[in-house]
Amino acid sequence: MAGRIPDQFIDELLARTDLTDVVSSRISLKKTGQNYSALCPFHNEKSPSFSLNPNKQFYYCFGCGAGGNAISFVMEHDHLDFVDAIEVLAKDAGMEVPREQGAPDRYEQNAELLKRLSESATFYQRQLIEHSDKLKATNYLAQERGLSGQIAKVFGLGFAPSGWDNLLKSVGTRAEHQEQLYRGGMLIEKKDQPGHYYDRFRDRIIFPIRDSRGRVIGFGGRAFGDEKPKYLNSPETPVFQKSQELYGLFEAKQNTQSLDQIIVVEGYMDVIVLAQHGITNAVATLGTSVNSQHIRKLFKLVSKVILCFDGDKAGRAAAIRGLEASLTVMQDEKQLRFLFLPEGEDPDSLVRKEGKDAFNLRLEDSASLSHVLFDHARNQVTLADEEGEAQFARNAMSMIQQIPKELTFRSILIKQLSEQSGIDSDTLGHTALPKVKSSYDKEASSTTNEPEYYDHPAHDAPHHDYDDYPASPYADYHSAPYSNPEYTPQTGKTGYKKKGKFNKQKDEAYFPPAPSSLSKIKQASLCLLLHPHIAQHIDIPDPIINQANDELKIFGKIWRYFAKHPEKNAGHLLGELAENVTYQPIIDLLNHQDAATKQKITNAKQEVLDMVSTLERNLGLNNSIERLKNKGNESIKDTNTKQELRNLMDLIRQKKS
């Protein structure tokens, strides 16, 4: 059941989990005295600075400052949120995660459907190595696309043979299984025979689509020739919404040691070929343009996202849609960049031609959001005079105004626009412009009618010499059962309807809006949670801690705990908290989109001190105002009161500046 994980369970889980086992299963440890040392997995280094204390069940890196317990290590190393990290550790410990009463989430409601999708992935994978027509598929992958058996195994590639009922006969052996396969988009109902089905994917290479936890939620299928549609995707289902998912995200998290940036490309093959060449941090959209949900999801994981497009007219148009989609979800300390490839090239062909290093150089030289924004605004100008400059400023501001007002990044863009247009920043910042209907808006409004396939460019690879391929190019593609790394089917209700088709409007999952930016106090609280050792070096005046403010109460609780226990971390704090009122806000902070960025900053102590200093100034200002109010107008004739008033006015001016 979805709901809060009881505090007692977290205590027990940490007590039964050996941090040494958790870390050693992921990186190589070396015994050094009573502790262990290693090359830190969270930053690049040549000499070990990562230290693990098995007695205290605590790790710390003297190079980058990363530290914590088993929960925080799994969160950071496996790129998981708090709840997912708990589930991974519980699974390893043979424990079932209990949940306090709450409604089941969409995955729990559709546990049997997910099981059928996993079985379908295993079926297609098995056909690639066992079916009598397998050479058609393996030759296509190996000789035409240049893929090794190992990379095919990493991405779980499969083969859907010709025929109308191969999957149906293998996985849909029972009526309820057929119903689940139908709801999962794997079967199509015959028009003239209700309740009778045939396979959706036939005579195609199969690409399992996994969510960020590794559960198979859908499939893509590519035709061998030029048949239409060339690429066929699963339709929308209770567990698969195309606009929410990114192909290859799970694999990127699993196979990239230090995931600090993600490349967004256009097709399955782009992702796979880049990974084969050592660029493992690429993902692809699923037949839709990059949207704000994609950007928001990626910003929760990394601080830098690079949108990679073909250099033709269509690629430029896609880049502008990506730009427009990103504006409302931009965040300070996050980067969005754009890479335009030479015309006629795509990531698949270019990385084969130039290699990994040259492609990485192109990534480093990618264009900034501001460059693309101003370039797009300039390209829309039709007049080469003062009116043209005004038109340029209006075009640029119509986009800049979509960026959240509180962001420093927005102010920087306004300043840059002022320098380019010659219009004062204050004038630009206070100019009310009508919202322009963007190409992204138009596309978003039509996604409900999106077809179940997309006609993606062929991305055919250039010809190579394949004489060194073994007789069986997929000899290393073993027939081990395909399984979801993180998913264990739940028993109980299957969640499917025995009659009627899937009601998308009723059953489709609700996705909440993006979390708002954190206040300065919450940012300081997050700094303490992620860098607890700084608390012992910070003094908080009692008047601040004693203010009747919920945010400050939580900040004070976190500060007191880590000031008293400098060797402990957020996992310990959560384990010791008993009252629900404080527990959930801290969980929300740890799961906030800014947590990944705060984890990597080096000035956490200064950020907290700056917040405290601001509160001290505000507290002094508020006290002065209250005192002068109580004295009344007559007292202002007094010399001391006049001086206090002057000081107060100075404080107010400082605050405004």
Side-chain angles (χ1 to χ4, degrees):
M1 298 291 285
R4 189 170 85 81
I5 301 173
D7 306 330
Q8 296 83 353
F9 176 79
I10 297 175
D11 289 338
E12 184 181 355
L13 177 63
L14 287 172
R16 290 173 57 175
T17 299
D18 186 348
L19 177 63
T20 307
D21 292 340
V22 172
V23 176
S24 63
S25 68
R26 291 164 171 82
I27 65 174
S28 178
L29 291 175
K30 182 180 179 180
K31 184 74 171 174
T32 52
Q34 294 183 343
N35 296 340
Y36 291 89
S37 64
L39 292 173
C40 180
F42 307 126
H43 78 288
N44 294 323
E45 62 177 8
K46 295 182 179 179
S47 57
S49 59
F50 180 93
S51 178
L52 186 153
N53 186 320
N55 295 324
K56 294 183 177 180
Q57 290 289 292
F58 184 82
Y59 70 89
Y60 185 77
C61 176
F62 296 94
C64 67
N69 62 2
I71 297 173
S72 60
F73 184 85
V74 172
M75 286 175 66
E76 183 70 11
H77 184 274
D78 295 2
H79 311 291
L80 300 174
D81 61 24
F82 179 78
V83 173
D84 287 344
I86 292 288
E87 291 180 348
V88 168
L89 290 172
K91 183 179 178 182
D92 292 342
M95 302 170 67
E96 184 176 350
V97 181
R99 301 284 183 145
E100 295 183 351
Q101 188 173 0
D105 65 20
R106 60 176 174 145
Y107 295 109
E108 292 166 342
Q109 288 176 327
N110 294 284
E112 287 298 313
L113 187 156
L114 287 168
K115 187 176 181 180
R116 298 291 89 75
L117 294 175
S118 179
E119 291 169 353
S120 299
T122 301
F123 169 79
Y124 290 132
Q125 188 186 39
R126 195 168 61 245
Q127 303 315 298
L128 188 61
I129 56 175
E130 295 179 0
H131 195 271
S132 58
D133 205 18
K134 66 181 180 182
L135 284 180
K136 177 180 182 179
T138 56
N139 287 341
Y140 170 81
L141 291 171
Q143 297 179 21
E144 293 189 41
R145 308 316 296 254
L147 300 183
S148 69
Q150 184 58 38
I151 201 68
K153 185 177 179 181
V154 168
F155 285 88
L157 303 189
F159 170 47
S162 300
W164 296 93
D165 57 3
N166 293 297
L167 181 69
L168 181 64
K169 287 181 177 179
S170 177
V171 181
T173 54
R174 297 165 57 181
E176 59 266 32
H177 291 180
Q178 293 180 16
E179 180 70 19
Q180 291 150 9
L181 287 171
Y182 170 68
R183 294 182 68 245
M186 305 309 296
L187 301 178
I188 298 174
E189 190 173 28
K190 295 180 179 180
K191 292 182 179 179
D192 56 345
Q193 292 181 278
H196 293 75
Y197 309 98
Y198 60 92
D199 292 356
R200 178 180 297 276
F201 296 101
R202 307 177 304 279
D203 196 28
R204 289 177 179 270
I205 295 294
I206 296 297
F207 303 83
I209 300 167
R210 296 184 259 201
D211 67 7
S212 58
R213 288 177 54 186
R215 297 172 293 206
V216 176
I217 55 175
F219 294 87
R222 195 214 188 272
F224 288 97
D226 294 327
E227 302 96 313
K228 299 296 181 182
K230 185 174 294 183
Y231 279 87
L232 178 68
N233 275 339
S234 293
E236 301 276 307
T237 73
V239 296
F240 177 52
Q241 286 80 40
K242 299 175 190 177
S243 61
Q244 306 292 336
E245 303 297 340
L246 289 160
Y247 178 76
L249 183 58
F250 171 74
E251 290 80 6
K253 290 166 61 177
Q254 291 295 304
N255 301 310
T256 308
Q257 184 178 26
S258 180
L259 190 64
D260 52 5
Q261 68 178 32
I262 285 179
I263 312 158
V264 182
V265 294
E266 294 185 67
Y268 300 123
M269 281 295 180
D270 291 327
V271 172
I272 297 171
V273 173
L274 285 173
Q276 181 162 288
H277 284 77
I279 302 173
T280 58
N281 59 332
V283 301
T285 55
L286 294 163
T288 64
S289 296
V290 179
N291 60 46
S292 58
Q293 291 284 358
H294 294 142
I295 302 296
R296 184 183 295 120
K297 174 179 281 193
L298 294 177
F299 275 164
K300 290 179 69 174
L301 285 174
V302 296
S303 58
K304 183 178 181 181
V305 175
I306 303 175
L307 305 182
C308 181
F309 300 99
D310 299 350
D312 55 14
K313 184 177 179 181
R316 293 276 170 178
I320 298 307
R321 289 195 295 271
L323 167 69
E324 293 168 341
S326 69
L327 296 175
T328 59
V329 295
M330 279 305 299
Q331 304 165 36
D332 285 334
E333 301 178 347
K334 303 287 186 181
Q335 289 187 65
L336 187 72
R337 301 187 70 84
F338 298 79
L339 174 61
F340 298 100
L341 303 181
E343 191 159 356
E345 300 283 2
D346 52 54
D348 178 342
S349 63
L350 195 60
V351 75
R352 296 176 191 275
K353 184 182 297 184
E354 295 185 345
K356 173 184 175 181
D357 293 341
F359 195 88
N360 280 331
L361 287 176
R362 289 184 181 274
L363 293 172
E364 292 176 11
D365 198 37
S366 54
S368 65
L369 183 149
S370 60
H371 176 86
V372 175
L373 186 150
F374 290 129
D375 188 52
H376 177 54
R378 181 72 67 185
N379 288 339
Q380 293 177 301
V381 173
T382 57
L383 300 173
D385 52 18
E386 291 82 359
E387 291 184 13
E389 286 302 302
Q391 185 180 353
F392 160 68
R394 285 195 298 271
N395 293 342
M397 276 306 298
S398 70
M399 291 183 282
I400 294 173
Q401 285 183 338
Q402 297 178 50
I403 298 172
K405 292 181 179 180
E406 66 273 14
L407 296 190
T408 304
F409 179 60
R410 171 174 165 144
S411 301
I412 292 173
L413 288 180
I414 292 175
K415 183 179 179 181
Q416 291 178 352
L417 177 58
S418 174
E419 294 170 353
Q420 294 190 33
S421 65
I423 302 174
D424 181 76
S425 295
D426 289 338
T427 302
L428 289 170
H430 293 89
T431 300
L433 296 175
K435 188 177 186 298
V436 177
K437 185 74 172 179
S438 68
S439 58
Y440 172 66
D441 293 329
K442 295 173 184 176
E443 181 170 301
S445 65
S446 63
T447 54
T448 55
N449 297 319
E450 182 186 286
E452 295 178 359
Y453 64 87
Y454 68 101
D455 194 9
H456 188 72
H459 286 191
D460 290 324
H463 291 291
H464 294 276
D465 184 5
Y466 289 98
D467 290 340
D468 57 344
Y469 262 87
S472 176
Y474 274 51
D476 59 341
Y477 192 73
H478 304 298
S479 58
Y482 188 90
S483 61
N484 289 316
E486 303 286 345
Y487 173 64
T488 303
Q490 309 270 337
T491 59
K493 294 183 179 180
T494 59
Y496 67 87
K497 299 176 183 177
K498 292 189 176 180
K499 295 183 179 180
K501 296 186 177 181
F502 166 57
N503 187 330
K504 176 181 174 185
Q505 200 170 28
K506 180 179 179 182
D507 293 344
E508 189 170 38
Y510 168 73
F511 288 86
S516 58
S517 298
L518 294 177
S519 67
K520 293 296 183 184
I521 297 173
K522 287 185 176 180
Q523 289 185 42
S525 297
L526 190 54
C527 284
L528 287 175
L529 287 168
L530 299 173
H531 307 273
H533 61 281
I534 67 175
Q536 60 184 317
H537 305 296
I538 297 172
D539 292 322
I540 313 294
D542 287 340
I544 291 178
I545 294 297
N546 294 334
Q547 287 190 68
N549 178 300
D550 288 342
E551 290 187 1
L552 278 174
K553 286 180 181 178
I554 294 171
F555 171 79
K557 183 178 288 291
I558 296 170
W559 170 72
R560 287 193 187 98
Y561 180 82
F562 290 131
K564 184 177 180 181
H565 307 287
E567 78 285 357
K568 294 191 176 183
N569 56 61
H572 294 110
L573 174 61
L574 288 171
E576 293 187 17
L577 285 177
E579 65 268 42
N580 298 346
V581 149
T582 308
Y583 180 93
Q584 192 57 47
I586 291 179
I587 289 292
D588 293 341
L589 282 175
L590 289 170
N591 283 323
H592 194 274
Q593 56 191 3
D594 291 345
T597 301
K598 295 296 184 189
Q599 178 74 55
K600 299 175 183 178
I601 63 174
T602 57
N603 62 336
K605 176 183 173 183
Q606 190 58 50
E607 186 166 329
V608 177
L609 290 174
D610 289 345
M611 188 279 294
V612 173
S613 178
T614 300
L615 288 178
E616 285 180 315
R617 288 198 303 271
N618 289 346
L619 186 62
L621 180 62
N622 293 338
N623 288 342
S624 296
I625 292 173
E626 191 63 31
R627 191 162 49 251
L628 287 173
K629 280 183 178 179
N630 292 335
K631 286 185 177 181
N633 292 334
E634 290 299 319
S635 66
I636 297 179
K637 297 176 182 179
D638 175 74
T639 303
N640 292 334
T641 306
K642 287 180 180 179
Q643 184 59 46
E644 185 176 0
L645 181 60
R646 292 191 192 97
N647 295 338
L648 174 61
M649 297 305 295
D650 288 338
L651 279 171
I652 293 174
R653 278 191 290 271
Q654 289 175 19
K655 187 177 180 183
K656 286 185 176 180
S657 63

